């Protein structure tokens, strides 16, 4: 939320009755928080994309809020912002309130941001989102706080750096093992192996012991995906979205003929 906009909203909320007032009571996109409820928070409504309600556009248009999208094609984000009165500027523009980028910003770019500008990535958030960095950080936490406290992933090796260690472990337990690129998503590049010779060492990958006795639903493999929004690391503030997804395999455990998944809607209780 731009600082100028916050001040303007405070002044507007305390203005005389004959002026047009923007407050929590008469506009669904503004929620007042903080001490004496004087900090405005902009609330986005997904249904605005379909309803095209002009009332939803009032705040963005009145305060000339703008955004830019860089190195990604976030059509849903663009639709949400446009439906709330934000206008899009060129990716090279420095006049914006929100930058939605598909890559992490360099430190020197983060230092140039004003108080009125926000980005969709925390600095170094790839320490959690990249598989190799997450693996290294979990190992570090195991050393710091004890193995049992962070025993949350199977035996894993980062290749090619730990190839010798992997081969030594493979000689004791031949698998299967699962291979994943360190910086990929949506299951791209993931495959199973039974022999180290099946692995390409041309890029950094993670190799983990395949869990051969996972929790099943009626003999079907599944996973649950929950969505969270992290607004602060210090103090840590996390919002859990009330809806999520569960994926259920079409074939029972042990049948590798079909790797398709069935998406199921779930609600967080």
């Amino acid at each position: 939320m731009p600082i100028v906009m916050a001040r303007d909203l405070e002044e507007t909320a305390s203005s005389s009755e004959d002026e047009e007032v923007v407050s929590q009571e008469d506009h669904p996109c503004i929620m007042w928080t903080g001490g004496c409820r004087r900090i405005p928070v902009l609330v986005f409504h997904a249904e605005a994309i379909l309803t095209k309600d002009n009332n939803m556009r009032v705040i963005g248009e009145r305060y000339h809020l703008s955004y830019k999208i860089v190195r990604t094609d976030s059509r849903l984000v663009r639709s949400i912002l446009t439906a709330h009165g934000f206008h899009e500027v060129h990716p090279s523009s420095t006049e914006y309130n929100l930058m939605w980028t598909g890559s992490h910003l360099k430190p020197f770019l983060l230092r140039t941001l004003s108080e009125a500008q926000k980005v969709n990535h925390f600095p170094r958030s790839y320490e959690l989102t990249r598989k190799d960095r997450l693996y290294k950080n979990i190992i570090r936490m195991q050393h710091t706080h004890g193995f049992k406290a962070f025993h949350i992933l199977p035996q894993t090796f980062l290749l090619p750096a730990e190839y010798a260690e992997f081969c030594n472990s493979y000689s004791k337990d031949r698998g299967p093992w699962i291979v994943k690129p360190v910086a990929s998503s949506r299951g791209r590049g993931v495959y199973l192996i039974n022999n180290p010779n099946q692995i390409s060492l041309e890029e950094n990958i993670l190799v983990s012991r395949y869990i051969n006795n996972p929790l099943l639903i009626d003999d079907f493999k599944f996973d649950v995906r929950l969505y969270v929004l992290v607004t602060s690391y210090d103090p840590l503030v996390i919002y859990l979205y009330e809806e999520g997804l569960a994926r259920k395999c079409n074939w029972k455990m042990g049948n590798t003929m079909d790797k398709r998944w069935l998406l199921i809607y779930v609600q967080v209780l």
Side-chain angles (χ1 to χ4, degrees):
M1 166 77 61
I3 302 301
V4 174
M5 176 184 171
R7 293 170 181 164
D8 288 349
L9 282 175
E10 289 183 12
E11 295 173 357
T12 306
S14 60
S15 61
S16 60
E17 295 183 357
D18 59 340
E19 296 178 357
E20 189 176 9
V21 177
V22 178
S23 68
Q24 181 183 18
E25 290 72 25
D26 61 10
H27 201 283
C29 291
I30 295 296
M31 179 175 65
W32 295 90
T33 63
C36 299
R37 299 178 64 81
R38 295 187 63 82
I39 300 177
V41 175
L42 188 58
V43 180
F44 294 95
H45 299 267
E47 63 272 16
I49 298 178
L50 300 177
T51 62
K52 301 187 184 302
D53 186 352
N54 288 331
N55 189 42
M56 296 291 185
R57 302 176 58 88
V58 169
I59 302 300
E61 292 177 345
R62 176 176 300 169
Y63 297 100
H64 309 290
L65 301 181
S66 60
Y67 71 94
K68 68 177 184 178
I69 295 179
V70 182
R71 292 188 290 274
T72 185
D73 181 25
S74 301
R75 288 175 290 179
L76 180 58
V77 173
R78 178 180 281 110
S79 297
I80 283 284
L81 293 173
T82 301
H84 287 79
F86 282 64
H87 70 275
E88 185 172 3
V89 298
H90 192 272
S92 62
S93 174
T94 58
E95 300 294 328
Y96 62 88
N97 300 106
L98 173 65
M99 179 197 303
W100 195 274
T101 174
S103 60
H104 295 271
L105 297 183
K106 301 296 183 182
F108 76 91
L109 289 176
L110 290 169
R111 297 189 189 99
T112 65
L113 296 178
S114 70
E115 290 184 283
Q117 294 177 318
K118 305 295 181 184
V119 296
N120 63 319
H121 289 293
F122 281 99
R124 297 181 64 87
S125 59
Y126 55 79
E127 294 287 347
L128 295 175
T129 58
R130 279 182 60 107
K131 297 179 181 65
D132 54 345
R133 296 306 308 156
L134 178 61
Y135 161 64
K136 288 291 188 181
N137 285 319
I138 290 177
I139 296 300
R140 182 170 58 86
M141 297 302 284
Q142 288 176 347
H143 291 159
T144 304
H145 300 285
F147 178 80
K148 291 183 64 176
F150 282 86
H151 183 35
I152 57 177
L153 80 167
Q155 185 180 20
T156 300
F157 300 93
L158 179 60
L159 273 54
E162 299 174 347
Y163 183 74
E165 293 91 331
F166 166 64
C167 289
N168 181 56
S169 182
Y170 169 80
S171 66
K172 301 174 183 177
D173 183 356
R174 300 205 167 191
W177 296 75
I178 187 168
V179 179
K180 297 182 179 182
V182 299
S184 187
S185 61
R186 298 182 299 221
R188 293 173 297 182
V190 177
Y191 59 95
L192 297 177
I193 64 157
N194 290 295
N195 190 300
N197 295 331
Q198 298 173 278
I199 300 176
S200 171
L201 299 178
E202 296 180 356
E203 59 181 358
N204 290 332
I205 56 175
L206 279 183
V207 180
S208 300
R209 190 183 300 278
Y210 189 71
I211 300 175
N212 55 15
N213 60 339
L215 179 65
L216 304 175
I217 298 179
D218 295 331
D219 294 328
F220 290 95
K221 292 184 66 175
F222 74 98
D223 65 11
V224 177
R225 176 169 295 187
L226 304 180
Y227 296 89
V228 298
L229 170 65
V230 180
T231 58
S232 172
Y233 280 159
D234 187 14
L236 184 61
V237 179
I238 301 176
Y239 294 90
L240 175 63
Y241 190 56
E242 63 183 9
E243 298 175 357
L245 291 175
R247 298 188 303 173
K248 180 180 177 184
C249 192
N250 285 355
W251 293 80
K252 291 187 177 182
M253 178 69 176
N255 190 328
T256 59
M257 293 176 60
D258 196 327
K259 297 180 181 179
R260 291 175 297 174
W261 293 81
L262 174 65
L263 291 180
I264 306 172
Y265 166 85
V266 297
Q267 186 166 12
V268 180
L269 301 179

